[in-house]
Amino acid sequence: MAAGLPYRYLNSYLKDRFGQRVQKITLDAGLTCPNRDGRVSTGGCLFCNARGSGTGAWGRGQDIPAQLEAGMARLSRRYGAARFIAYFQSFSNTYATWTTLRELYEAALTPPQVVGLAVGTRPDCLDDEVLDLLAGYARDRLVWLELGLQSAHDATLARLNRGHDAACFRQAALRAAARGLEVVAHVILGLPGEGPREMAATAEFLARLPVAGVKIHLLYVVKGSGLARLHEQGEYVCLTEDQYVSAAADFIERLPPRLVIHRLTGDPHAEELVAPAWCLDKFRVMNLIREEFARRGSRQGSRWEG
């Protein structure tokens, strides 16, 4: 862990590994999701809108090399970064033919400034050929396989219309780790029907798996989502800032110290956000989480039973 931080944070991990600042470039490959195209469902997850978490760059005619070039220029100006990780974020980025995926990944890895690849996807979109393809890149590059879990509770996953269960995530993580891939789990705090006990159980579920990192998200409400309709009808109430800060600290205390914390809260587009307004100040939330650890006198792993 970096000096002064109560958890193993991503920026420090990357600087230790590469000896300099490394920034992620978000890429949109124009792919879709089996939870939208009818293979699993057509409605998508409860919290997701039609754009998903993407930028829409592919739909505006920007291919992967163009997105990379723009991202490297922007992040170089802003942070002075000279090394980058290509992050396929929008929708399910292993949900295409092997040939299509290889072309996309290799286009992203072509610039010499790109030192790593991060691929966001669902645990039910991972056949052996795709895992082997990613494992080949991992022999000489940093490769993160970012898998959406959200919750370890099957009742919650059904409520979210995820279309898979926790066992599916577990098997995907084991298969990926067996090939030497670094798995980054995505989880959401504040899900409908979940309280502190359920969120703690999700942390304990992850702590027993060969997961290298975790992204912790707040459940926020975006326009056009199923969650927005529930929120409008008064059937879903967002966590308060204080509740989220406490839940995030509780969660991290249960994670083994080896895990890298890739994200501490959500990062919504302001124009899409319905609620809660407080989550737009990401750095305030991050600081409050650090202050909560200081108040408790605890850190990552304090309540981990390894």
Side-chain angles (χ1 to χ4, degrees):
M1 298 182 192
L5 285 181
Y7 43 78
R8 193 179 186 203
Y9 196 48
L10 177 62
N11 288 347
S12 301
Y13 166 78
L14 289 172
K15 192 167 184 180
D16 288 344
R17 181 160 181 167
F18 292 101
Q20 60 183 295
R21 189 176 187 108
V22 179
Q23 291 292 138
K24 292 177 76 172
I25 299 174
T26 299
L27 301 175
D28 180 348
L31 301 179
T32 184
C33 174
N35 212 15
R36 287 193 171 273
D37 72 1
R39 197 190 86 177
V40 172
S41 176
T42 56
C45 296
L46 184 70
F47 50 81
C48 192
N49 65 11
R51 197 174 83 168
S53 58
T55 63
W58 188 275
R60 296 194 298 272
Q62 296 179 354
D63 62 10
I64 297 302
Q67 292 178 51
L68 276 173
E69 183 178 357
M72 288 190 288
R74 182 180 68 256
L75 295 170
S76 294
R77 288 193 304 268
R78 184 171 181 180
Y79 298 109
R83 293 291 181 269
F84 305 93
I85 294 169
Y87 177 29
F88 286 90
Q89 180 185 37
S90 182
F91 293 114
S92 302
N93 293 282
T94 57
Y95 190 51
T97 66
W98 183 89
T99 301
T100 297
L101 294 174
R102 182 183 62 176
E103 291 174 352
L104 290 168
Y105 300 156
E106 294 188 356
L109 289 169
T110 295
Q113 305 97 310
V114 175
V115 297
L117 178 70
V119 177
T121 192
R122 292 166 52 92
D124 57 354
C125 290
L126 289 172
D127 61 35
D128 288 337
E129 283 190 324
V130 172
L131 286 174
D132 290 340
L133 176 64
L134 291 170
Y137 300 133
R139 284 194 288 267
D140 58 6
R141 305 283 184 106
L142 171 64
V143 176
W144 290 326
L145 182 61
E146 302 202 10
L147 294 180
L149 169 64
Q150 319 313 352
S151 171
H153 304 282
D154 288 345
T156 301
L157 296 177
R159 198 175 295 123
L160 296 176
N161 194 41
R162 284 291 294 174
H164 66 79
D165 58 14
C168 178
F169 178 92
R170 181 179 184 276
Q171 288 302 314
L174 291 171
R175 289 168 58 225
R179 289 168 167 83
L181 293 170
E182 296 188 27
V183 176
V184 178
H186 288 226
V187 298
I188 300 177
L189 304 184
L191 291 167
E194 292 201 358
R197 181 180 299 178
E198 289 78 16
M199 290 184 274
T202 294
E204 291 160 1
F205 173 83
L206 287 178
R208 296 189 294 270
L209 292 176
V211 171
V214 61
K215 280 187 172 178
I216 303 170
H217 300 262
L218 162 73
L219 183 61
Y220 53 79
V221 182
V222 295
K223 297 173 184 176
S225 66
L227 188 64
R229 291 189 291 275
L230 292 181
H231 181 266
E232 183 179 355
Q233 295 162 6
E235 296 179 31
Y236 175 72
V237 178
C238 301
L239 293 180
T240 66
E241 186 178 63
D242 287 346
Q243 287 173 327
Y244 182 77
V245 167
S246 180
D250 288 346
F251 196 95
I252 294 169
E253 286 175 346
R254 289 174 168 83
L255 298 178
R258 62 175 174 80
L259 262 68
V260 179
I261 309 300
H262 285 239
R263 181 179 286 275
L264 284 169
T265 183
D267 196 14
H269 299 287
E271 68 276 10
E272 292 184 341
L273 182 68
V274 174
W278 60 260
C279 73
L280 289 172
D281 194 345
K282 179 175 70 172
F283 293 104
R284 170 183 162 82
V285 177
M286 292 170 63
N287 286 331
L288 287 173
I289 292 170
R290 293 166 188 169
E291 290 172 7
E292 177 66 9
F293 276 109
R295 186 189 67 79
R296 297 181 182 194
S298 67
R299 61 194 302 104
Q300 181 177 341
S302 292
R303 288 197 270 181
W304 170 56
E305 297 179 359

